[in-house]
Amino acid sequence: MDARLSVRARGIGKCFGDVVALDGIDLDVAPGRVHGLVGPNGAGKTTLLGLLLGLAAADSGRLEILGTPVGRTLAAPDGVAGFVDGPGLYPSLTARQNLAALAALRGGDARTQRIDDVLDQVGLTDVADDRTRGFSLGMRQRLGLAAALLAEPRLLVLDEPSNGLDPAGKRHVHGVLGRLAADGAAVVLSSHRMDDLEALCDDITILAAGRGVFSGPLDKLASENRELDYRLRTSDAPAARRLAAATAGVRLVDDAGPRPGAAAGIVVRAQTPALDELVARLVRSGVAVRELTPVVSPLEAAFLALTAPQEDGG
């Protein structure tokens, strides 16, 4: 096992009766990285997060967390914190009292200064003395993150941390996770929100039916051998259309021409090298490129392609 990794899993299997939740999963998570888990409902994301938090034990395979081999006991090594299926809170207690109770249960630091610090990090200072029974989903998610931060984790494991967050809450959570990774902690999170994963994650693992169908750096999903649709807006749509049609490897997806009053734009389908060539031709021809964005993000396109049901060719 590689002691430099925060998580190293090889061939992890987990069944619940006749249901195979995880089937030979490999996972590497390095310190200072944010690693996202994505997959359809029932793909095994929550089960895998539970293994990392010591809430369940694998039936097969090898798992090492923070340099410690994990066996069949339900326990996680020191330095691991997080939640799955939402944080558990005492609804009759305030946010501050919830954190103080948790710190006391852990035998850790329950001093007000530390609690106030994590509440500030997640943007809950103004409601610190409100009872949590009145908290929204997003506020409960942020308080769960604050509880995890009390442990000063070297591995933070979160299940759908952006659930219910408004833009301000999302900004707080993204900032916290980014700072943790910058300070050397490893973060593993699941989400159905592709925009969150693309904004936060360095690495992605895509699960489908309990198996890993991709794992690696996020930018690898936009590799040069994958065609994507791009929305292209320029200063001269007719010229852009002609140049796109004449560029090898570029196909016009939307060639109906600009509608009256609409912005001058087209949709093209291309791999990265062909798209680069088209942009170079536009610039040489004096056509200004005002927007070039994927119609569907590289992560979402890869997710749809890799998790689509396979048709039986027989």
Side-chain angles (χ1 to χ4, degrees):
M1 292 284 190
D2 190 339
R4 295 170 296 179
L5 291 172
S6 298
V7 176
R8 181 179 171 89
R10 290 293 179 270
I12 294 296
K14 181 65 179 177
C15 296
F16 297 97
D18 294 333
V19 177
V20 179
L22 297 174
D23 186 6
I25 294 295
D26 294 341
L27 179 68
D28 288 341
V29 181
R33 307 279 285 185
V34 180
H35 196 113
L37 300 180
V38 61
N41 291 333
K45 304 184 299 296
T46 300
T47 300
L48 182 54
L49 295 179
L51 296 182
L52 299 182
L53 285 170
L55 302 177
D59 297 326
S60 58
R62 295 177 297 148
L63 176 62
E64 186 177 280
I65 299 176
L66 299 177
T68 301
V70 176
R72 299 292 183 260
T73 58
L74 298 184
D78 290 339
V80 181
F83 58 81
V84 296
D85 293 327
L89 303 172
Y90 297 107
S92 62
L93 299 184
T94 67
R96 192 191 311 278
Q97 288 169 339
N98 264 280
L99 296 182
L102 181 61
L105 285 172
R106 290 174 173 170
D109 185 358
R111 290 178 300 180
T112 300
Q113 181 178 353
R114 176 67 180 146
I115 291 172
D116 286 348
D117 177 55
V118 296
L119 286 168
D120 179 63
Q121 286 186 56
V122 301
L124 291 179
T125 299
D126 291 344
V127 295
D129 295 310
D130 293 352
R131 296 184 191 277
T132 59
R133 65 161 50 95
F135 277 19
S136 67
L137 173 60
M139 292 166 69
R140 292 197 301 271
Q141 293 290 97
R142 283 192 275 164
L143 185 55
L145 176 57
L149 294 176
L150 278 178
E152 298 182 291
R154 290 183 289 144
L155 172 63
L156 180 64
V157 180
L158 300 173
D159 188 16
E160 299 285 353
S162 295
N163 259 3
L165 293 183
D166 58 20
K170 184 183 295 189
R171 183 173 65 250
H172 279 290
V173 169
H174 285 200
V176 168
L177 301 184
R179 287 191 294 273
L180 273 175
D183 289 341
V187 179
V188 181
L189 60 91
S190 74
S191 180
H192 285 98
R193 297 188 58 102
M194 302 297 172
D195 55 342
D196 280 341
L197 293 170
E198 289 180 314
L200 283 168
C201 295
D202 304 297
D203 306 291
I204 290 287
T205 292
I206 299 178
L207 301 177
R211 296 183 177 181
V213 294
F214 172 86
S215 191
L218 184 59
D219 56 13
K220 186 178 178 181
L221 288 171
S223 62
E224 297 184 355
N225 62 357
R226 188 183 301 278
E227 280 191 341
L228 291 177
D229 289 356
Y230 295 88
R231 183 172 293 106
L232 175 62
R233 300 190 188 279
T234 67
S235 59
D236 187 341
R241 190 173 291 107
R242 289 193 301 271
L243 288 167
T247 302
V250 175
R251 287 184 285 164
L252 285 162
V253 177
D254 178 9
D255 195 22
R259 299 181 304 275
I266 59 175
V267 176
V268 298
R269 180 172 299 158
Q271 297 178 9
T272 302
L275 189 69
D276 291 344
E277 175 60 24
L278 173 57
V279 171
R281 289 188 176 194
L282 290 167
V283 172
R284 288 196 298 267
S285 300
V287 178
V289 177
R290 293 173 177 167
E291 179 186 355
L292 180 63
T293 55
V295 174
V296 176
S297 73
L299 175 55
E300 185 171 353
F303 170 79
L304 293 172
L306 292 170
T307 61
Q310 299 298 309
E311 295 184 1
D312 187 354

